[in-house]
Amino acid sequence: MSTTYKPFIATAPLVPMTLSSTLLQPEFTTPFALYTVVQLAVFAAASAGWPTVFGRNTRQQGWLLTLMVSALVTVLSLPFVGDVVTEVVDAVWSAVGGAGYSPLERTTVAADGQASLRIPGVFLSFLLMDVVVGSLVYPRHVQLLTGYVHHAVYAGLIIDLMRHRIAFVLCPMGLMELPTFLLALGNVVAPLRAQLHLPFGVCFVVTRLVFHAVLVWRVVRATAGQRFWIYVACTLPLHVWWFRGWLVQRSRMSARRSGSPSPTDGRGDSKEEEVVVDGEPSSAAAPGDSGVRHRAPATDVDVD
C-alpha cells in the first residue's frame, strides 16, 4: 500500500561499512556479475559480425558498451527520479504554506536496498569491463586521464557512497546518462548523427544542468551538509563548460554552412576543434555524468 513519500535526511554522521561487507552484499554482487556476463556476451556477439557491418572501425566498436550501459542506467534511474520529483514538489508545497507533505502519494525506492544497489552494480561492472575490453581490443582509444584515471575515480566515489549506505543519492544521476546514450548512438550509427545534435543539446540542458543542480540541493539536504554533496556537485561546473563548448561548436558549424566567418571564441582561431562534451566512461572517446567515453568530440554526434 502506498504511503506518503518522506525523504531520507541524516540526523547524525554517517558511519561507513567495511569495504568487504560493502562489496559482498548480494544486492550489489548479483547485478554486477550478471551485467558483466551480459556485456561480454553482447560484445563478443557484436564483434563477430562487426567487420561486416562497420568495417574495421574500432572507434565505433568502442562505443558499444557505453551505448548499452547508458540506456540501461537511464531506465533503472526512473523510479529514483520519481523520488526526486516528489521531494521537490513537497519542498515547494511546504514553502508556499502547504500543510505537511504534498498530495503526492508513493512509496520511496530510496529505502529499498536492493534497488539502490542495482545501479552501482551495473555501472561498476561497466567501468571495469570498459577498461578491460578497451585495453585488449582497442587500446589506442583508451586514454590515461579520461579512461583509466576517470574510471578509477568514479569507482571510488560510488563505493564510498555504498559504504555509507546512501548509494540512493547516486541513483537519480542515471538520468544524466540520457545525453550519453544519444552521443553513443550517434557514434555507433553514423547516419543518425546529424539528427541527434538538437536532441542531445536539449537533453544535456535538462539532465546535466537543471536536474543536476536539483540533485546537488537534494544531497545537501539529505546528508545534512556532510561532504557527500561534493561528489555530486564536482562535475556540475564541468558540465557547464562542456555545454559552452558544444554551443560554440554549433555556432561555428552553422556559420560554416551559411558561408559566414566562423566565431573565434575570443582566441582568434576559427578552426573546427574537438569539444569534450562527455567526460565519463572511456573506451571510445568519452557524467555527468555517463564509455571509456574518453574524449567525446561533439562532432561525433553532429557531423558525418
Side-chain angles (χ1 to χ4, degrees):
M1 181 176 178
S2 176
T3 58
T4 302
Y5 173 79
K6 295 187 178 182
F8 171 89
I9 298 180
T11 56
L14 297 168
V15 179
M17 302 165 61
T18 64
L19 182 60
S20 59
S21 59
T22 299
L23 297 180
L24 293 178
Q25 298 176 86
E27 297 86 357
F28 167 77
T29 57
T30 299
F32 180 90
L34 287 176
Y35 193 63
T36 297
V37 172
V38 168
Q39 287 180 100
L40 292 175
V42 171
F43 189 86
S47 296
W50 201 272
T52 303
V53 180
F54 296 99
R56 298 191 177 278
N57 190 337
T58 56
R59 192 173 186 287
Q60 282 181 292
Q61 191 177 15
W63 280 93
L64 180 59
L65 295 182
T66 301
L67 180 68
M68 291 171 55
V69 76
S70 58
L72 179 58
V73 169
T74 296
V75 173
L76 291 177
S77 72
L78 295 180
F80 296 91
V81 173
D83 280 354
V84 175
V85 171
T86 303
E87 192 168 334
V88 170
V89 171
D90 287 344
V92 172
W93 179 266
S94 298
V96 298
Y101 290 94
S102 72
L104 292 181
E105 297 286 333
R106 58 182 313 237
T107 301
T108 173
V109 295
D112 183 346
Q114 183 173 356
S116 62
L117 290 177
R118 195 172 293 141
I119 291 178
V122 166
F123 202 72
L124 283 174
S125 170
F126 160 73
L127 294 177
L128 177 61
M129 289 299 100
D130 200 28
V131 169
V132 171
V133 173
S135 300
L136 295 174
V137 182
Y138 35 84
R140 67 190 183 91
H141 294 307
V142 183
Q143 300 178 2
L144 176 62
L145 183 60
T146 53
Y148 300 106
V149 174
H150 169 276
H151 282 33
V153 170
Y154 258 65
L157 295 180
I158 293 170
I159 291 171
D160 195 41
L161 289 173
M162 289 171 55
R163 289 181 64 223
H164 288 85
R165 302 177 179 86
I166 53 170
F168 69 87
V169 305
L170 172 78
C171 295
M173 296 182 72
L175 186 65
M176 295 195 289
E177 291 299 299
L178 181 57
T180 302
F181 170 76
L182 298 177
L183 191 64
L185 185 62
N187 275 275
V188 173
V189 187
L192 293 178
R193 291 178 185 174
Q195 286 73 47
L196 290 175
H197 65 82
L198 181 58
F200 171 84
V202 172
C203 287
F204 197 96
V205 170
V206 172
T207 62
R208 300 232 172 175
L209 300 182
V210 178
F211 186 65
H212 195 166
V214 171
L215 290 181
V216 173
W217 162 81
R218 187 202 188 209
V219 175
V220 170
R221 184 184 188 213
T223 61
Q226 296 180 58
R227 61 181 168 85
F228 304 103
W229 69 269
I230 299 175
Y231 295 2
V232 177
C234 63
T235 56
L236 183 55
L238 193 58
H239 290 168
V240 174
W241 178 257
W242 287 340
F243 188 66
R244 171 190 172 277
W246 183 82
L247 289 176
V248 168
Q249 189 179 60
R250 295 256 50 83
S251 178
R252 289 175 177 168
M253 293 171 65
S254 178
R256 186 178 62 183
R257 293 190 188 102
S258 65
S260 304
S262 297
T264 62
D265 193 25
R267 293 176 295 185
D269 182 6
S270 62
K271 180 182 178 183
E272 222 27 77
E273 65 182 35
E274 245 180 18
V275 179
V276 176
V277 293
D278 198 331
E280 285 147 41
S282 133
S283 332
D289 338 280
S290 179
V292 180
R293 288 186 296 261
H294 320 293
R295 293 171 317 146
T299 49
D300 285 345
V301 176
D302 311 320
V303 185
D304 274 330

